[in-house]
Structure formats: C-alpha cells, structure tokens
C-alpha cells in the first residue's frame, strides 16, 4: 500500500510537471511607427483572470542621480517595491512626483542617504527634480509579476508565463496609455509579438538610427 | 566712480574679515532697523527692486564663464524666487524663507573663493544698477557676508 506522504508527493510532482509544460516565454519586439527599434519600452502582461493573489512584494530598486540625470530614465516595478534614490551626485537634489499613483517629495542631500519610498499603487509615476528642472524619469508600477523593459534592440522577453490569457501592455515615455492587446499562452508554449508604439511625443533622447 | 568702487571694495573686504573673526555672527538674525524705523528691505526699494536685482544677478551668474558652472541644469526661476524670499526674510521684509540652509544648498558644489567673490561682485553691480544706495548695499552685504563659511568649500 502506498503511504499517504508518497501519494501526496506523486500528486504534487504530477501537478508541477503539468504546470511546467503549460507555460511559455512571451518575447516582444518594440518598434516606433517608423519601424525603428525602441529601447526602454516597458512591457507587462496582466493575467486576464485575477487568479494570482497579490504577492508579498519585497523587491527593491534604485533610481540614481548621476550628473544631474536620473539613471535609469525608465523603470518598471511591481506595486509594493521599495525605491531608493542613492544620489551619486555629491550635490543636493529634490525629487518629486505629482503623479496620482504616488505624490511625494524627497530631498537628497550630499552625503546623506534619504529614506526609501514604497511605490504601492500601479500607474506611471513621472519623477522630476525641483532644483534641476531638466531631470526627468518614469517609473511604471504594475500589478503583475510578468514585466520587463526592452533592450538596445527593442527586445524583451517575459519568462515562464503560465498558460492562459493575458493583456499585453507596452508603454513608452510620451504615451498617455499603454498600447494593449490580448494574447494567449497555450500548451505550445513560447509566443512572439511585435508591438508598434508612437514615440513621437517622447522626451526621451534616442540614439540616431 | 572709481573712488566709490574702490571704497566699496575695501568696505566689503573689511566686512568679510570681520565676519570671519566674529564667528558667532548669526546670518539668520533680522536686520537692525535704522533710526527712521524703515526696514532695510523697504529702503532698498522693496519687492520690485529686490526682484529686479535678483533677476540680473542670477541671469548674469548663469552666463558668466567664471560663475556659470554651479548654475548649469538649475531651475533658475525657482532659484530666483527663493533668493528673493531669502533676502526679504533677512532684511525685515516679512517673508519666511522656505528653502534649505546655505550649507545644504552649496554642499558638494565645491565653490571656491574666486567664485564666491565673483558672485558678490555681481550682486554689488546689480544693486547699483537698480538704484540701491551705498549704505543699504553695505548693510545687505554685512548680513550676507557670514554665509561665506557655509558656501565656500575650497
């Protein structure tokens, strides 16, 4: 007779094997309307069913200040992520946001570490500096664990999405809303998509192509 | 003109020397009123004059090759607003300065002596251009001089 624990183990193994076979990577290539690849585009896939329980997010990211610019200019993070502003410039900055998802001001003094800030609601947070008005950055806060940012060739891969239906969102600075489409991760696994976004209103400097 | 300028320079040096000796001088202390009771702020010409002086001072400093380094990338409109507010608060104009301390504001900028004196010179010029009298110019510089120790780093 099979012991109770062995039986449960077999069931779990079976469930894991099934889940593993029904997941896939979602590879996205982001281009502007003229066909140029776009780096620093934010891509995130939200499950159509709200099955996933809100995770206990303990993620941390940094948005640095270097030569009177934010580094990186574009961040994507999950709601609940702790954001640190290290201020690698040895001068004062005063970082602020008026965006509804997080309204705050934090003063960064030379040689003193400011308190981190939790970005706890989804939405696009536009960051500026009160002192240096050309400083500009964006933090896209999402409610899904499946997110990424395109690299130099405009490509980003969201790994190991469980099979199911998703809303694939692509956002780029200057857009008021993400570009969205429905995608399905099936038993076949991996999926590729090309997304075009209007980058013409982006304040983000781009390398000549 | 040359004589007045020379005299002013001596006065300023004297004031700066004095301030370094009197290390306990409090830059935040309100300006003492003269006999007629009018504040230094009022005698300098009030909001209109101070705003014009600060406009000229900041625009000059941000474009002068010897000074502009520290102003690059800075929101000059905000800087002007806070400078006007600060001077108003220090000269009996009734404002409350909402900015940071001079030490925090200048930390890491590595302002040297020549930059500091270059800006003092630009301030003197701007005050003169907008009709602020000699005694008022001296009074203002006397109030500002002790800030040097919080501004100059090298």
């Amino acid at each position: 007779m099979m012991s109770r624990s062995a039986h449960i183990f077999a069931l779990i193994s079976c469930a894991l094997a099934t889940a593993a076979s029904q997941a896939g990577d979602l590879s996205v290539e982001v281009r502007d309307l003229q066909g140029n690849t776009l780096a620093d585009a934010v891509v995130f896939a939200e499950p159509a069913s709200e099955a996933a329980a809100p995770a206990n997010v303990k993620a941390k990211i940094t948005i640095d200040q270097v030569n009177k610019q934010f580094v990186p200019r574009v961040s994507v993070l999950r709601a609940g992520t702790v954001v640190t502003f290290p201020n690698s410039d040895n001068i004062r900055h005063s970082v602020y946001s008026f965006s509804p998802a997080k309204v705050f001001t934090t003063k960064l003094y030379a040689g003193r570490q400011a308190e981190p800030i939790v970005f706890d609601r989804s939405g696009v947070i536009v960051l500026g500096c009160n002192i240096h008005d050309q400083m500009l950055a964006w933090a896209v806060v999402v409610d899904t664990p499946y997110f990424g940012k395109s690299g130099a060739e405009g490509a980003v891969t969201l790994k190991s999405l469980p099979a199911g239906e998703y809303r694939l969102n692509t956002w780029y600075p200057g857009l008021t809303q993400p570009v969205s489409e429905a995608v399905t991760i099936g038993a076949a696994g991996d999926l590729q998509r090309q997304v075009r976004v209007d980058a013409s209103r982006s304040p983000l400097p781009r390398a000549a192509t | 003109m040359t004589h007045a300028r020379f005299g002013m320079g001596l006065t300023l040096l004297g004031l700066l020397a004095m301030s370094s000796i009197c290390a306990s001088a409090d830059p935040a202390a309100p300006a003492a009123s003269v006999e007629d009771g009018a504040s230094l702020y009022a005698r300098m010409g009030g909001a209109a004059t101070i705003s014009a002086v600060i406009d000229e001072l900041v625009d000059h400093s941000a474009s002068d090759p010897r000074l502009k380094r520290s102003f690059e990338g800075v929101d000059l409109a905000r800087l002007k607003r806070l400078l006007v507010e600060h001077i108003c608060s220090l000269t009996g104009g009734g404002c409350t300065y909402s900015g940071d301390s001079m030490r925090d504001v200048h930390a890491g900028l590595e302002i040297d002596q020549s930059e500091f004196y270059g800006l003092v010179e630009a301030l003197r010029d701007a005050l003169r251009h907008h009709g602020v009298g000699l005694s008022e110019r001296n009074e203002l510089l006397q109030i500002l001089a002790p800030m040097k120790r919080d501004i100059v780093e090298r």
Side-chain angles (χ1 to χ4, degrees):
Chain A
M1 175 183 153
M2 195 180 213
S3 77
R4 186 182 174 85
S5 62
H7 191 187
I8 290 171
F9 179 77
L11 277 176
I12 290 172
S13 301
C14 189
L16 284 174
T18 306
S21 70
Q22 293 187 343
D25 293 350
L26 174 55
S27 298
V28 179
E29 187 190 63
V30 185
R31 293 178 179 269
D32 66 13
L33 299 181
Q34 289 71 44
N36 306 301
T37 55
L38 280 179
D40 286 332
V42 167
V43 173
F44 57 105
E46 299 170 300
S49 61
E50 298 297 322
N56 181 17
V57 177
K58 287 182 177 169
K60 293 182 169 73
I61 67 158
T62 64
I63 300 177
D64 204 353
Q65 295 67 48
V66 182
N67 296 327
K68 298 176 191 170
Q69 289 296 347
F70 288 105
V71 178
R73 301 287 297 275
V74 178
S75 303
V76 54
L77 53 143
R78 199 165 178 193
T81 298
V82 175
V83 182
T84 306
F85 302 95
N87 191 11
S88 291
D89 282 344
N90 188 32
I91 57 166
R92 184 184 56 138
H93 289 295
S94 177
V95 177
Y96 70 88
S97 156
F98 294 128
S99 304
K102 193 75 188 182
V103 177
F104 73 95
T105 302
T106 183
K107 291 190 171 187
L108 311 177
Y109 295 108
R112 272 182 269 163
Q113 181 59 60
E115 281 294 306
I117 293 176
V118 178
F119 285 7
D120 43 13
R121 285 175 53 198
S122 59
V124 176
I125 296 173
V126 183
L127 301 172
C129 173
N130 282 311
I131 298 159
H132 309 100
D133 53 346
Q134 86 293 354
M135 290 175 69
L136 193 56
W138 300 265
V140 181
V141 184
V142 299
D143 280 325
T144 168
Y146 312 111
F147 59 83
K149 193 171 80 167
S150 63
E153 301 301 317
V156 54
T157 298
L158 310 183
K159 298 261 187 209
S160 304
L161 274 64
E165 292 177 5
Y166 293 85
R167 177 152 292 275
L168 170 63
N169 301 286
T170 305
W171 182 88
Y172 192 74
L175 293 183
T176 50
Q177 293 290 327
V179 173
S180 295
E181 65 175 297
V183 297
T184 302
I185 301 290
D190 297 354
L191 193 65
Q192 280 93 41
R193 276 288 183 275
Q194 191 185 88
V195 177
R196 296 279 181 110
V197 299
D198 181 359
S200 63
R201 289 186 305 278
S202 173
L204 203 61
R206 289 166 62 195
T209 50
Chain B
M1 185 63 196
T2 310
H3 180 257
R5 198 179 163 86
F6 180 61
M8 181 67 199
L10 276 185
T11 308
L12 177 63
L13 283 176
L15 288 170
L16 290 169
M18 192 173 71
S19 74
S20 60
I21 293 163
C22 307
S24 63
D26 180 1
S33 298
V34 288
E35 308 80 55
D36 64 4
S39 67
L40 172 57
Y41 182 75
R43 285 182 284 117
M44 287 192 297
T49 303
I50 300 304
S51 294
V53 166
I54 293 302
D55 263 354
E56 179 181 328
L57 172 66
V58 171
D59 290 343
H60 171 89
S61 302
S63 56
D64 184 329
R66 297 170 304 161
L67 303 175
K68 67 178 184 183
R69 178 184 72 87
S70 305
F71 297 88
E72 280 166 1
V74 170
D75 181 345
L76 298 181
R78 175 181 180 275
L79 174 62
K80 288 175 180 177
R81 178 171 58 75
L82 285 167
L83 278 170
V84 168
E85 190 181 277
H86 201 178
I87 287 180
C88 170
S89 76
L90 292 170
T91 57
C95 306
T96 302
Y97 173 56
S98 60
D100 284 327
S101 73
M102 289 297 95
R103 186 175 292 276
D104 282 339
V105 166
H106 296 89
L109 291 172
E110 302 192 323
I111 307 240
D112 66 18
Q113 300 262 353
S114 76
E115 288 172 310
F116 178 81
Y117 289 122
L119 193 128
V120 171
E121 173 99 18
L123 173 60
R124 285 172 42 201
D125 289 346
L127 288 165
R128 267 205 315 274
H129 294 161
H130 292 91
V132 176
L134 176 62
S135 68
E136 284 78 19
R137 297 201 301 267
N138 282 345
E139 273 184 68
L140 179 62
L141 290 168
Q142 187 170 12
I143 291 167
L144 302 181
M147 295 174 177
K148 177 169 179 276
R149 63 169 179 261
D150 289 333
I151 294 172
V152 174
E153 288 182 299
R154 60 194 174 94

